[in-house]
Structures are given as structure tokens and as C-alpha cells.
Amino acid sequence: MFNKVFILKTLLFSMVLIYLVCCPYTKVEESFNIQAIHDILYHGTDVTEYDHLTFPGVVPRTFIGPLFVSLLSSPIVKFSSIFENNKFLTQYIVRLLIGCLVLSGLFKFSRSLKKVFGLDVVVHFLLITCSQFHFLFYASRPLANIFAMILALPALASWLKQDIGKFIWLAAFSAILFRFELCAIFAVCLLISLVRKHTSLLYVFVHALPAGIIALGFSVMVDSVFWQRYLWPEGDVMWFNVILNKSSNWGTSPFYWYFTSTLPKALLLSCVFIPWGFRCDPYRCAILLLPAIIFVLLFSILPHKELRFIVYTFPLFNAVAARGYADLKLRFRKSFFWKVGYILALSSILVNFAASFLFLKASVNNYPGGEIMSLLHKRVPCVTDAQPVHVHISNYAAQTGVTRFQEACPLWRYNKTEHLKRDDLRLNPDVTHVIADYVESDVIMWEATHVPIAETSAFSGVSLRFETVFVSIPVPYFKMKPALTVWQRREFPLNQDSSE
């Protein structure tokens, strides 16, 4: 049984690594943290060179997560520079470190499940998590939600083990530093512990008050230095998203969206076994389900919804589903009926893996900005006797993968200035290269002064097409659309690659 757990933990790490290697770039939601990690590693205490002072984003974010990851990764980054001075390699390193921190929390949570439910549930919990795409795909991503997850999972593990003091401290730092809405899920956990008489109000108060004050003071102290003004970032975020409800500017979804779309997509077929797990062990499973369901219900009230907002609940739902799988395994020898039931349960995990492969295939084509920057550096040499290289990066490119880790050429100028018109860039002789959004009607205008040297496409949906092997069967087809083009000024000397 130990070997099974070890193998599954190794598989979990391998899945995180595969997702990272296949999709090394980042999206706009991750841009602040990934740029902050870059700036801490490469600019140190020279805050004036930091990206956030020029591009602060809609709301300020804490530097504590990026600072922690930078400090942990800096020895590895310095060691790796001996072999290859490639800044983008550093992005792999820091993202892998984030993934390892999340997995460490997940393994602590699984060990707490062992004490509550036993080894069979742990084995199925790890297997289910391996087969699902979104949790492991997000695990290495520098999102505020993932930094919160690094502390939230050990907090939930401590709660299950009834170590309420440790739970309160981890919960306070997770919520106050990274995602304040986690107070909702942690409050339900505390209420359950109070009802079950595993703690008292006095004990909660004795730990919660200093934990909250220290976490808040730590955030204000660190972030005021980096933002160069007195600030509690997560307070600003909550004011913007919850009180002012301005997050709806980025789209809205109906109240039921998390239950009808997000959870089925994230949990896949394993969600079918949640009711069975609850039926087998209603008391202990209710303890896991209550915080998760109440948290999702509360978040359903907000009109703007994203999968990452409720990612903390996935391990709780999976734990209940794992209880259902373990029960079917226990009944396996009783009759043919239960043998078929457990075989179907295991088959659902295979279906999960197949669905995860399709999700990955779609995601690989979701980062045209990162791909176009990589192609640009292949087409244009870093050291050239020609005029200095000045690259303008469109907003869409910056939102779909471009980071400062890709600024591989020290002599180049990388420019992300927003709201510049096409002709301002096209007619400016100092701008040698433009990463522009693909607009079919603009191509003729660009070709008058520039030549295209690289293009990328982006995922635009899934359709079915019928292919005949022995019979005609529907096969998923991933539709692509032109996304970005690198336009090089005609006067700029073409190198061998760009002339192909």
C-alpha cells in the first residue's frame, strides 16, 4: 500500500511537470506575480525597475508570494545559470517550485484523510486527482489563488487532524495575504469544530486575534515597500471585487454556473461518485462537503465567475468521491454486481485521463503571445550590427504569454505601451518590430512598410468531424484562428531565418 501511495505521488508530480512543459507560458491573470518574481530575481532592491510601477494592473497584489518563491528559487536559478544563461529557463524553475509547494500541501491533506478515512480512500483520492486536469494544470501557475492554496491545503489538513491552533494561523495568513474570500470556507470549518466541541470560542479568539494582526501587519509592511505607499493589497482587491462589484466588467455568468459547468468540468466523471461517498459515510463526508458547498454557493452570488475562484474546493469534493470509490472496492468480492460497479468506477478514471488529454491539447494552443516571442528570438539574432532592435508588444500578446522572462536580449528594447494606434507604430522608424494582433483588413497596410517574419494561431473551439476507419465515427477537431503576427520594418536587414 505504501508503494501505491508513493507511485501515485510520483505520478502527480509527473503530471504537474508535463502540464508545465507543454504550457510554459502564462496568462494575464498570472502576469503580476510572474513579473514580480522576475523583478525580484533580476532587479533585487532596485524597485524603480519593477514592472508593476509602469503597469500596476486594475488592483494591487501582494509581493509576499513572489518574494517567497524568489528567495526559495534563487539558489537554483544561480546554479542553472552556470550551464545556460537563459532567462526563460528561470520561469520553468519558479513555476515548478510553485507546483511542488502545492503538491506538498496536497500530500499533507491526503495524510490527514488517512487518519479520518483510511488508506483506501487516500489511494483513490490521489488517483482521482491525477486523472483530473484543472487542479494539476493550475498547480504550477503563479496565481493569487494558487499562492493561497499553498497555505490553504495544510490549513485544511490541520483542521481535519483537529489541530485548531495551527489551522487558524495558516488560514489567517492564507486569507489575509492572498485571497480574503477564503474566510468563508475557513469560517464554516471553525463553526463545525465548535459544534463538534473540538475547540472553544475563547481558544479561537486567542489564536485568531494575533494571527490576524501579524498577517495584516506583515502584508502592510512588505507591500508598502514594493508599492511605495501604505497598502494592504488584499483589502483593495476585496473592496473592488465584492463591495464595488466591478469584477463583473470582465463578464458575468448565471448563479448556477459553478454547479452546472465548472465543477463537472473540473471533477469530470468522478463527481458522479460524490453522492455515493456521502451515502456510505454521511457524517464524515458532510464535514468535508459543507465548507465546499457553502463556499461555492456564496461565490455563486457574485456575477463574475471563474474556475480558479473555487479551486480550493476540488480536494474536498474529491475526498468524498474517493470515499465512494473505496466503498465500491470494499464490496468488490461480494457479488458480480459490485465487481461490475467497481470496474465501471475505475473506467471513469480512464475517461478522466482521456478528457484531460483533450483539455491539454486545447490549452497548448492558448498562449499565442508566448509562442510569438519565442519565434521572434529565433528569427532575429540578439547581437546584430544593424540598427538597435525595438519591439512593441500588443496588449493581447502580453495577456497570452509574454513575460519579462522572455526578454532574452539585453540590447533590445521591449515596449508594452498600450493604446498606440497602428499607424503610430507602422510609421515610427525607431520601432523595428511590432507584435500585432492579426486583423485581416490591416495586412495590406502593414505590408506597405513591413514584412511578416512570424505568425501564431490560437485555439478557437472544438467541433466534431466524421472519420472512417471501419465505420464513420465522430472525432474531436480543434479549431484554430490567426492570432498574432511579427511585422519587421523593411529597412531592417533580414537575417537568414527571417527571410525564409
Side-chain angles (χ1 to χ4, degrees), residues 168-182:
I168 291 172
W169 280 86
L170 288 168
F173 275 78
S174 178
I176 291 173
L177 298 184
F178 300 113
R179 298 297 300 191
F180 195 71
E181 69 268 14
L182 277 170

Side-chain angles (χ1 to χ4, degrees), residues 255-330:
F255 177 86
Y256 52 80
W257 186 76
Y258 283 130
F259 293 98
T260 59
S261 177
T262 304
L263 288 173
K265 184 167 66 173
L267 305 180
L268 298 174
L269 284 184
S270 297
C271 68
V272 174
F273 296 89
I274 293 174
W276 186 257
F278 178 75
R279 179 188 178 279
C280 299
D281 199 343
Y283 179 73
R284 291 187 297 181
C285 287
I287 291 169
L288 295 173
L289 284 176
L290 271 175
I293 292 174
I294 291 174
F295 182 79
V296 176
L297 282 171
L298 289 173
F299 249 74
S300 297
I301 297 171
L302 296 177
H304 180 61
K305 298 175 177 64
E306 294 184 37
L307 183 147
R308 62 189 174 96
F309 293 165
I310 63 166
V311 68
Y312 328 100
T313 65
F314 299 168
L316 295 171
F317 285 119
N318 281 341
V320 178
R323 180 66 183 88
Y325 280 86
D327 180 76
L328 291 173
K329 181 187 176 184
L330 187 65

Side-chain angles (χ1 to χ4, degrees), residues 395-414:
N395 189 43
Y396 178 59
Q399 290 180 350
T400 56
V402 175
T403 70
R404 299 189 78 176
F405 283 108
Q406 287 185 288
E407 296 178 0
C409 303
L411 300 178
W412 289 17
R413 180 182 174 190
Y414 299 89

Side-chain angles (χ1 to χ4, degrees), residues 12 156 186 304 321 329-330 348 355 413 417:
L12 280 163
L156 291 171
F186 294 144
H304 180 61
K329 181 187 176 184
L330 187 65
S348 72
R413 180 182 174 190
T417 303

Side-chain angles (χ1 to χ4, degrees), residues 234-245:
E234 194 52 29
D236 279 26
V237 172
M238 287 299 296
W239 180 263
F240 182 89
N241 288 334
V242 179
I243 307 301
L244 300 181
N245 196 24

